[in-house]
Amino acid sequence: MAEILKHAVPKAEVTASLDQVRETVAGVIADIRDRGDAAVRAYSEKFDAWSPDSFRLSAGEVERIVASVPEQVIADIEFVQDQVRSFARQQLDSLGEFEVETLPGVRLGQKHIPVQAAGAYIPGGRYPLTASAHMTIVTAKVAGVPRVVACTPPIRGEIPAATVAAMHLAGADEIWLLGGVQAVAAMAVGTDTMRPVNLIAGPGNAYVAEAKRQLFGEIGIDLFAGPTEILVLADDDADPFVCAVDLLSQAEHGPDSPAVLITTSREVAERTVAEVERLLPGMPTRDYAEPAWRDHGQVHVVDSIDELYALADDFAFEHVEVLTAEPRLALERMTQYGALFLGEGTCVSFGDKVIGTNHVLPTRGAARYTGGLWVGKYLKTVTYQEVTGTDSQALLGRLCGRASRVELFEGHARSGDVRAAKAAGDPLPWNAG
C-alpha cells in the first residue's frame, strides 16, 4: 500500500475552480461569435492591455523584429527546430499509404491528407515560450499544412521578439500578437480580419485549454493540453537533489501545475521534500512554483517497483521522469503517459526545450486515450474504394442486398441489387412495372 507523505488540495477545490473557468470561457466565445473583431479587441485590451492597429504582423514588421534578436538566440532556435523537424519527418515516414486488391477488381486504399488550415497557439503572458512555436508550427509544416496561423500574446505590453522569430523561422504563414481565449476563439470561428482554421494545436493555461474543449467539434484540436504535470519515479538509487530540481522545473510553469513524486524509498521521499523546501526560497520563479508545490505537489512512498509503475499508470500524467536503476523497464510496464524521460541524464526540460520530441502532451488524465501532438495530428487518414471487376460487383451487390434487408435498409439493398443487375443480369423485382 502507498503511503502519502504530501497531499494535494482536495479535488473538489480544483473542480470548483474549473467550473468558473468554463463559465468565463463560454461568455468570451459567445461574445466573439456575436461581435467578432470588436470583441477580440475588447478582450485583448482587458486581459493583455494590448490594442494595436492590427493584431497581425506585416512581413516588414516580422523582418524588423527578427533582426532585433541576438544571433546566438537565432542559431539556437534554428538548431532546436532542426531537431523537431527531423523527428517529425521520421514520424511522417512511418505512416504508410497503400492500395490493395482484396477481390478480383476490388481495390481499397488509404491516403493521408493534411488539414488545409491550422492554428498554432504559443503561450506567453509571462514567459516567451519560443519552444511551443517549434512544436506546433514546424510539425504542421512537415505534415504539409498549407496555411498555419500562429498566435501569441504580448508580454507585459511588449512584443516577444524571440517568439516571433521562432514563429517566423518555423514557417508560420500568419503571425498574430493575440493571446488567450480571444485568440483561440478568433482562429476557430473567424472574424472580419481572420479566416477560420480547421484545427488548433498548442498548450496553454486553463482558459486556453477550456476554450479548445468548448470549440472541439466545430474545429479539430490536437488534445487537451492544460497546466503542465510532472511525475518523478524514483527508487533507492535516485538522487533527492535531482528529484527536487526536476519537480520544481515544471512547477514554475504556473500555480496550478502538479508535481508528484512516487518512490520506493522513504528516505528519498523525505530528502526530496527537504530539498524542495531548501531550493524554493531562492527560485526567481517562486511566485508560481511555490503555490504549485504547496497546492498540487504530492509525495507517495510504495513498497515495490511493481506498485510504483501501477500507481504511475493511475496518474496518467503528461511527463513521467524515471530515475530508477533500470529506467527502460518503464517502457514495458507503463501504458498511460504523455512522454517518458528515462534515466538521470534525461530531464523533462530537454523535452520541453531542445531534444526534438513534441512537448504538447496530454494532461488531466487524457493520456488514458491519447498521446501527444505529432505529425499525424495534422493529417486526415482517409480511405477510398473502387470496384471494376464484374464478378465482384455481382458478388458484393447480392451480399449488400441480403445484409441491408436484415437491417431493414431497403434503399441500401436496392443500390446493391442494381450493381448485381448491371454486372450479371440479376432481376430487379422491386422495379417491375
Side-chain angles (χ1 to χ4, degrees), residues 36-53:
D37 284 327
V40 168
R41 184 169 295 278
Y43 289 114
S44 182
E45 290 175 342
K46 177 180 179 180
F47 297 126
D48 291 323
W50 184 254
S51 183
D53 291 339

Side-chain angles (χ1 to χ4, degrees), residues 92 95-97 110-114 379-382:
L92 185 63
L95 296 173
E97 294 187 350
Q110 169 181 292
K111 63 180 298 186
H112 307 293
I113 302 174
L379 298 173
K380 299 174 292 181
T381 300
V382 298

Side-chain angles (χ1 to χ4, degrees), residues 39-343:
V40 168
R41 184 169 295 278
Y43 289 114
S44 182
E45 290 175 342
K46 177 180 179 180
F47 297 126
D48 291 323
W50 184 254
S51 183
D53 291 339
S54 172
F55 291 105
R56 180 177 177 180
L57 295 178
S58 68
E61 288 172 320
V62 170
E63 185 177 344
R64 286 193 296 274
I65 292 167
V66 173
S68 73
V69 178
E71 289 184 8
Q72 185 63 61
V73 174
I74 295 293
D76 290 345
I77 287 172
E78 291 176 334
F79 176 86
V80 176
Q81 289 187 352
D82 282 345
Q83 311 315 301
V84 175
R85 188 175 293 109
S86 175
F87 191 74
R89 284 174 176 160
Q90 290 292 325
Q91 290 180 323
L92 185 63
D93 289 344
S94 75
L95 296 173
E97 294 187 350
F98 65 86
E99 183 175 287
V100 60
E101 188 172 30
T102 58
L103 293 167
V106 178
R107 284 173 289 276
L108 308 182
Q110 169 181 292
K111 63 180 298 186
H112 307 293
I113 302 174
V115 298
Q116 294 302 289
Y121 186 79
I122 293 87
R126 174 171 179 168
Y127 304 128
L129 295 181
T130 58
S132 288
H134 320 329
M135 307 302 175
T136 53
I137 302 167
V138 168
T139 309
K141 284 301 183 182
V142 170
V145 178
R147 174 176 171 247
V148 177
V149 178
C151 288
T152 197
I155 298 179
R156 294 179 290 276
E158 299 293 331
I159 295 173
T163 304
V164 171
M167 295 158 87
H168 172 67
L169 294 170
D173 300 286
E174 301 174 22
I175 296 176
W176 297 69
L177 286 180
L178 186 64
V181 177
Q182 58 271 24
V184 175
M187 287 190 286
V189 306
T191 70
D192 288 340
T193 57
M194 183 187 291
R195 289 183 292 133
V197 299
N198 308 126
L199 179 146
I200 294 177
N205 62 18
Y207 290 91
V208 168
E210 176 60 18
K212 288 168 62 180
R213 189 191 70 82
Q214 291 190 20
L215 290 160
F216 176 59
E218 184 171 350
I219 49 106
I221 64 171
D222 50 354
L223 61 145
F224 298 120
T228 289
E229 304 165 342
I230 181 172
L231 176 60
V232 173
L233 307 182
D235 61 11
D236 295 349
D237 293 334
D239 182 341
F241 174 69
V242 173
C243 293
V245 168
D246 290 351
L247 288 166
L248 291 176
S249 75
Q250 298 300 300
E252 74 176 356
H253 272 276
D256 51 358
S257 292
V260 177
L261 171 69
I262 304 175
T263 178
T264 56
S265 168
R266 186 179 182 89
E267 181 184 359
V268 168
E270 292 175 345
R271 288 178 58 195
T272 297
V273 172
E275 289 287 0
V276 168
E277 299 301 333
R278 181 179 70 84
L279 292 168
L280 257 176
M283 283 192 72
T285 51
R286 175 184 176 182
D287 56 338
Y288 275 6
E290 188 170 53
W293 175 249
R294 181 192 66 221
D295 297 339
H296 302 283
Q298 298 181 48
V299 177
H300 298 252
V301 180
V302 296
D303 294 330
S304 68
I305 201 73
D306 290 337
E307 190 177 351
L308 177 141
Y309 285 126
L311 183 57
D313 260 355
D314 286 343
F315 272 92
F317 256 26
E318 176 187 21
H319 305 107
V320 179
E321 189 170 287
V322 188
L323 304 180
T324 63
E326 298 181 77
R328 291 184 69 86
L329 189 60
L331 291 169
E332 301 173 18
R333 299 292 186 87
M334 291 191 65
T335 61
Q336 299 189 153
Y337 54 85
L340 288 179
F341 300 82
L342 303 175

